[in-house]
Amino acid sequence: MTFLNQTPFKLVFSVFVAWFLYAAIRLVRYRRFYKDLPKPPHSFLWGHLKLFGEIVAMYPPNTHPQAYYTSLSQKYNLPGIFYIDLWPLGPSLLIIADPDTASQVTVLKSYPKHIENANFLSPMVGRNNIASVNGSTWKLLHNMLAPAFAPLHVKNLVGMMADEVTLFRGTLGRMSQTGEVFSMEETAGKLVFDIIGKAVFNFPLNAQTTGSECLRDFKEILKMVVLGRESWNPLTKARASFKRKAAIKRADSYIDDKIRERYDYLKRENIEVTKKNALSILDLVLRERLQESRQMAEKDSAAELDPDFMELAITNIKALLVGGHGTTTDTLCFIYMLLSIHPEAMQHLRQEHDRVFHSDISTTHSMLHDSPHKLNELDYTTAVIKETLRLFPVGFGIRTPDKSSTLTYKGRLFPIENQMISPCQHTMHYNPAIFPEPAKFDPERFLREGEVPRNAWRPFERGARACMGQDLAVDELRVILLLTVREFEFECAGIKPNEKQRCAWTDMDLRFGDIVFQELGLEAKPRGGMMMKVRRRV
Ligand code: HEM
Ligand SMILES: *[C@@H]1O[C@H](CO)[C@@H](O)[C@H](O)[C@H]1NC(C)=O
């Protein structure tokens, strides 16, 4: 009797054959799905794995994937929607690079958020965050928070923003005296954190002055998430997870205290919070609880602020602090970076600021307190912000179909089941058929009548799930630019321009080096902290 005839071996062998057949059938099934679909060159064995790997390798480490999609789209001249097959290592991606088609899934109908949004955000802020949830939880949160983000309410915050910028100007002034190199991401980040902190809590977080524990904890959380995501070493992963949880605990307990403090105060003083008079996002979050407590009367606040409510409140306050802070800081960094090589844009900005406000900065500051709506007259400034967000979109979201969803492109129905649907603003923003000379910084394109097609500019996405903070972010950036660009010149420090363009869609790396390839953090952030020097204008 030979070894081959032994029963255990036969069993193992047949199980192996069965598994192999099963895998082969799955492979055939998966790969055939893509047969008639728009896609980059597809291999039966690899799907797009090999090709995708080659694209990834073109870029510096941890580049935000939006750059990969733009490369694929341009290199293979792909249509407005295309598929990427990463089976068995990754999901099947359906990239939408056509604005009207993106509107099908975000505006005409708002597809639910893909579970990967939640998987991505929850290690940082918790599961039930407004940017990831669907259905009734989302509605509840949206209705709760929307009044805080209404354009009129945001204009009430403009004076506060201007006051915070005074501290930032002081810091820039000191940097200009010493001539030192500093991280704009870090310095501007503190300013933006103080502003968003005031908007959320209506009390100072003092990141710019004494330093904020809360900001340090958020930074630690993000750092540990990235470390855990990138490391293959289980020990490193475990340590990162441990440290992340410790930082989350500290941040949560800080926010928990603030919520209870404010709740007790509003109750004790018998202050009725309305949608109109709410001083902060926190007040809006507490509004219904206060109303209920009045109706029920005579219950202690510990019971009213039940654990479910507190969890939801803490998660979403964190989501706003974290989400609103990084995105706006990144955008400001890219604006200063672009302005550093565009003196003509600087000149236009300064002229506009003198004309619409006042040539004197402190007069400008008081005007912001008295007539914040004048910000809406800053057309060129707004165009600079828009053009920067076109070149460097920082936010990204993915959708999933529900049962009744369909997707048509050029009159044809496309399969969407089990697809990770990714409207990719970056690819649209770099499409020369939509934005001529897409790699060029040209703010005026937004001022030339009818040049930018409706729908095509989507850094805040559009539709029901569009960014809630967009008016806040744009007003904040306007205020910061208005109060800084006339006083300072900005210069990038330590840049290493690339000798050869890394990819076809931008030549900006010939000027700035790899910092133009946005890094995947919580959002698409600047690489290397945006090191800068500032000079005071004389
Ligand atoms: C320049 C700055 C900002 C950019 C580029 C930006 C971008 C975005 C994008 C693209 C989305 C949608 C993601 C998706 O489709 O899945 C989003 C969602 C959101 N953003 Fe922003 N954002 C910015 C600033 C802010 C600020 C300052 C806040 C508020 C503090 C904020 C609050 C939100 C919220 C609450 C959502 C979720 C909305 C929902 O799902 O209903 N954002 N943001
Ligand atoms: C949102 O809805 C989609 C589709 O029903 C689902 O796949 C996803 O898991 C939901 N997200 C969350 C956070 O529950």
Side-chain angles (χ1 to χ4, degrees):
M1 205 155 73
T2 67
F3 176 72
L4 272 176
N5 283 338
Q6 281 171 15
T7 324
F9 181 82
K10 266 194 187 152
L11 193 69
V12 168
F13 185 72
S14 51
V15 166
F16 179 75
V17 168
W19 176 83
F20 186 81
L21 274 175
Y22 172 74
I25 289 167
R26 297 243 308 185
L27 178 75
V28 173
R29 252 222 343 253
Y30 269 98
R31 299 291 186 243
R32 271 184 50 164
F33 170 79
Y34 299 92
K35 197 162 155 275
D36 297 318
L37 298 175
K39 59 187 179 301
H42 190 237
S43 132
F44 188 76
L45 194 60
W46 293 102
H48 290 124
L49 281 172
K50 201 155 154 260
L51 182 70
F52 202 73
E54 285 160 17
I55 297 284
V56 172
M58 280 166 47
Y59 290 94
N62 202 27
T63 294
H64 192 286
Q66 60 186 1
Y68 311 152
Y69 308 150
T70 303
S71 267
L72 285 170
S73 159
Q74 297 198 357
K75 186 161 180 205
Y76 299 105
N77 202 10
L78 298 170
I81 73 169
F82 58 92
Y83 292 76
I84 303 177
D85 170 15
L86 300 178
W87 190 82
L89 297 187
S92 180
L93 304 171
L94 197 178
I95 310 295
I96 303 183
D98 168 64
D100 290 334
T101 313
S103 289
Q104 270 184 57
V105 306
T106 54
V107 181
L108 297 180
K109 184 165 176 192
S110 182
Y111 280 33
K113 292 292 180 110
H114 194 283
I115 189 67
E116 279 303 318
N117 282 303
N119 293 342
F120 186 77
L121 288 177
S122 61
M124 281 173 258
V125 301
R127 250 200 129 66
N128 282 321
N129 66 77
I130 182 165
S132 312
V133 291
N134 307 311
S136 56
T137 314
W138 173 75
K139 268 218 178 83
L140 175 105
L141 290 167
H142 179 85
N143 291 340
M144 187 191 267
L145 300 174
F149 294 104
L152 265 178
H153 180 72
V154 171
K155 286 288 187 281
N156 293 336
L157 302 173
V158 164
M160 171 276 283
M161 294 177 188
D163 295 347
E164 293 292 340
V165 177
T166 303
L167 291 169
F168 180 63
R169 282 168 56 211
T171 309
L172 294 183
R174 280 194 300 283
M175 299 297 184
S176 72
Q177 263 165 4
T178 60
E180 69 195 272
V181 171
F182 65 98
S183 162
M184 182 55 87
E185 190 184 3
E186 193 178 324
T187 305
K190 290 179 185 165
L191 163 66
V192 173
F193 192 69
D194 281 345
I195 291 177
I196 180 81
K198 279 254 175 81
V200 169
F201 292 122
N202 194 32
F203 66 74
L205 286 175
N206 295 325
Q208 294 195 92
T209 50
T210 55
S212 155
E213 285 297 331
C214 192
L215 179 57
R216 274 195 284 272
D217 288 335
F218 284 149
K219 282 194 170 155
E220 169 94 348
I221 295 170
L222 182 60
K223 206 169 108 190
M224 291 305 134
V225 166
V226 173
L227 184 67
R229 199 157 62 200
E230 283 171 12
S231 171
W232 293 97
N233 180 342
L235 278 176
T236 311
K237 274 187 188 292
R239 197 169 49 91
S241 162
F242 181 79
K243 286 186 138 179
R244 175 177 61 84
K245 284 182 186 145
I248 287 178
K249 210 166 160 192
R250 289 194 300 272
D252 284 2
S253 110
Y254 179 86
I255 296 169
D256 189 293
D257 286 350
K258 295 295 169 197
I259 295 177
R260 290 177 197 281
E261 215 174 278
R262 183 69 183 166
Y263 185 79
D264 291 341
Y265 173 81
L266 290 171
K267 219 177 137 184
R268 199 170 55 238
E269 303 292 318
N270 208 13
I271 297 170
E272 185 168 7
V273 179
T274 63
K275 282 191 180 184
K276 281 231 169 74
N277 77 358
L279 286 175
S280 66
I281 291 172
L282 176 57
D283 284 4
L284 286 169
V285 171
L286 293 173
R287 196 172 73 97
E288 257 174 51
R289 290 283 137 158
L290 282 163
Q291 282 170 349
E292 279 169 24
S293 100
R294 275 207 191 82
Q295 283 153 12
M296 299 199 292
E298 301 307 308
K299 265 178 114 191
D300 63 329
S301 66
E304 288 158 24
L305 299 179
D306 58 272
D308 282 351
F309 170 78
M310 286 305 280
E311 198 250 351
L312 196 65
I314 293 173
T315 295
N316 284 286
I317 283 173
K318 273 193 295 188
L320 294 179
L321 288 174
V322 173
H325 155 250
T327 45
T328 314
T329 305
D330 300 348
T331 308
L332 184 62
C333 285
F334 288 121
I335 294 175
Y336 285 145
M337 180 191 101
L338 288 163
L339 290 176
S340 76
I341 59 161
H342 288 284
E344 75 294 348
M346 269 302 220
Q347 199 189 343
H348 275 140
L349 284 174
R350 288 164 180 159
Q351 280 165 357
E352 181 173 79
H353 297 169
D354 284 352
R355 181 171 47 78
V356 176
F357 282 81
H358 194 279
S359 57
D360 177 58
I361 304 272
S362 53
T363 311
T364 301
H365 185 143
S366 14
M367 286 171 81
L368 282 171
H369 276 275
D370 301 335
S371 10
H373 56 272
K374 269 187 115 44
L375 284 176
N376 296 347
E377 293 170 37
L378 297 175
D379 293 334
Y380 188 81
T381 309
T382 309
V384 166
I385 296 167
K386 285 186 168 178
E387 179 68 340
T388 305
L389 280 166
R390 181 186 69 79
L391 289 163
F392 297 99
V394 297
F396 195 89
I398 41 183
R399 307 291 177 117
T400 193
D402 56 23
K403 287 198 183 65
S404 62
S405 311
T406 56
L407 187 73
T408 48
Y409 173 66
K410 299 209 161 155
R412 177 179 160 193
L413 261 177
F414 282 90
I416 48 180
E417 216 181 310
N418 299 322
Q419 300 299 307
M420 195 153 125
I421 301 175
S422 313
C424 187
Q425 12 155 346
H426 188 274
T427 309
M428 300 174 207
H429 292 177
Y430 279 91
N431 181 346
I434 307 179
F435 294 96
E437 293 189 80
K440 189 172 148 201
F441 175 71
D442 177 18
E444 261 109 359
R445 66 172 92 231
F446 287 96
L447 302 173
R448 291 188 288 264
E449 201 67 40
E451 178 166 326
V452 175
R454 215 170 56 91
N455 265 347
W457 182 76
R458 338 172 56 96
F460 297 108
E461 236 337 310
R462 289 166 184 266
R465 301 298 296 263
C467 177
M468 281 185 99
Q470 53 186 295
D471 291 297
L472 177 70
V474 171
D475 271 345
E476 182 175 347
L477 291 165
R478 284 163 166 164
V479 171
I480 299 172
L481 293 175
L482 176 64
L483 295 174
T484 56
V485 297
R486 285 177 294 173
E487 227 175 353
F488 299 99
E489 300 280 3
F490 300 85
E491 189 191 327
C492 284
I495 42 179
K496 300 188 196 75
N498 290 346
E499 275 169 23
K500 246 182 63 205
Q501 243 172 272
R502 266 194 195 262
C503 62
W505 53 264
T506 186
D507 57 2
M508 238 187 273
D509 58 328
L510 299 182
R511 196 72 193 251
F512 289 110
D514 281 344
I515 63 173
V516 304
F517 300 111
Q518 292 163 270
E519 206 173 339
L520 177 67
L522 179 72
E523 68 286 333
K525 61 196 217 88
R527 190 175 289 275
M530 196 57 77
M531 303 311 289
M532 288 201 146
K533 280 206 279 201
V534 284
R535 221 160 13 90
R536 197 186 277 280
R537 283 177 77 215
V538 276

